[in-house]
Amino acid sequence: SQSKGVSVKQLTLLDSKEFHMTIFDCTGMTVQGVRIIAPADSPNTDGIHASHSHHVRILNTTIGTGDDCISLGPGTSDMLIRDIKCGPGHGISIGSLGWQDGEEGVRNVTVDRAVLKGTTNGLRIKTWAMPNSGSVTNVSFSRVTMNRVGNPILVDQNYCPRKVDCPGNSSGVQISDLSYTDIKGSSATPVAVKFNCSGTNPCSGIKLKNIRLRYRHQRPAQAKCQNAVGSVSGEVTPPSCF
């Protein structure tokens, strides 16, 4: 918390009661060669959660927990996440965002070279279905392998788990300039690519390139879009819904 230039390397974190590592209001931090382990059914045991932090690198790290492997909250920018092994858990997440008005946005995030195995989600961005402002912009996901992953590519702007305060509302968080490149592997759910974006603030500038995702047993997967605009290049399987 509120630190500069911190390096955390070659540690094993085991069975935390809640989040294993939190990074808050930090600059210039490196996490490298860390192992994080907790049971798949342990609630709220996120591996690494970062918020209000800048220029953070998470490298060569293996995470298996009962919640997100890595989660990014409001106010994170210039993040590099590279050479990650994730599973079990809920995948790599941005959000949830938009719970409170005036939250800082998330920008300039790079996720490169990751392997996700048996996670309930893959690369996820989620915002509350509430009119509070916020933004997610300039996020790049590349060279990611999915192995029996539920919802490999997911943007959900209708997050309302307890059905309180948000039913019928539309997210005020603006999501733009997302790129997905060289994403391959198997989906545990029929819909492998889903952009469920806000009706009042549609997702824009989404780029898909060289996407090769199949449903289990090599059956065709599906893509679904709502209020999303983007472009495709190279091979894109399942076919784009833009």
Side-chain angles (χ1 to χ4, degrees):
S1 176
Q2 299 177 317
S3 301
K4 295 182 179 180
V6 173
S7 178
V8 179
K9 297 184 178 181
Q10 307 299 326
L11 291 184
T12 295
L13 308 179
L14 177 65
D15 292 342
S16 174
K17 284 182 69 173
E18 292 193 0
F19 291 12
H20 286 73
M21 182 184 298
T22 60
I23 302 168
F24 174 75
D25 195 16
C26 292
T27 302
M29 182 168 181
T30 298
V31 178
Q32 186 169 6
V34 170
R35 295 170 64 233
I36 299 176
I37 304 167
D41 61 351
S42 56
N44 300 317
T45 54
D46 294 51
I48 301 172
H49 177 74
S51 65
H52 302 283
S53 296
H54 316 284
H55 300 288
V56 174
R57 302 186 305 161
I58 303 173
L59 311 172
N60 191 31
T61 290
T62 299
I63 305 171
T65 70
D67 212 299
D68 293 330
C69 291
I70 297 172
S71 57
L72 304 182
T76 50
S77 66
D78 301 302
M79 306 285 297
L80 174 62
I81 300 167
R82 176 171 284 159
D83 293 322
I84 303 299
K85 294 181 180 178
C86 170
H90 293 180
I92 298 173
S93 293
I94 296 175
S96 57
L97 304 174
W99 172 247
Q100 296 179 322
D101 200 21
E103 286 182 350
E104 292 183 57
V106 175
R107 58 184 174 87
N108 302 339
V109 176
T110 297
V111 177
D112 180 43
R113 293 200 302 256
V115 177
L116 286 73
K117 183 175 181 180
T119 53
T120 56
N121 296 288
L123 308 171
R124 176 173 58 164
I125 299 173
K126 60 177 179 176
T127 73
W128 284 85
M130 301 176 73
N132 298 326
S133 61
S135 64
V136 179
T137 187
N138 193 27
V139 178
S140 170
F141 301 100
S142 62
R143 295 187 286 183
V144 178
T145 299
M146 310 281 184
N147 187 347
R148 295 177 288 107
V149 168
N151 310 306
I153 295 175
L154 174 62
V155 174
D156 180 11
Q157 291 204 264
N158 291 285
Y159 182 65
C160 187
R162 293 182 294 276
K163 309 302 179 185
V164 177
D165 298 328
C166 44
N169 287 332
S170 183
S171 175
V173 177
Q174 179 66 62
I175 296 177
S176 61
D177 298 327
L178 310 179
S179 69
Y180 301 84
T181 305
D182 294 327
I183 314 295
K184 64 181 182 180
S186 58
S187 173
T189 51
V191 179
V193 178
K194 186 174 183 179
F195 296 105
N196 184 13
C197 297
S198 168
T200 54
N201 294 277
C203 300
S204 62
I206 302 172
K207 297 180 181 178
L208 302 177
K209 181 178 181 181
N210 298 338
I211 310 297
R212 297 179 296 278
L213 293 169
R214 303 284 291 182
Y215 186 35
R216 59 186 181 183
H217 309 305
Q218 296 300 308
R219 288 187 286 176
Q222 304 172 39
K224 292 188 176 181
C225 297
Q226 183 175 355
N227 305 314
V229 177
S231 61
V232 300
S233 59
E235 176 188 355
V236 174
T237 305
S240 167
C241 49
F242 295 140

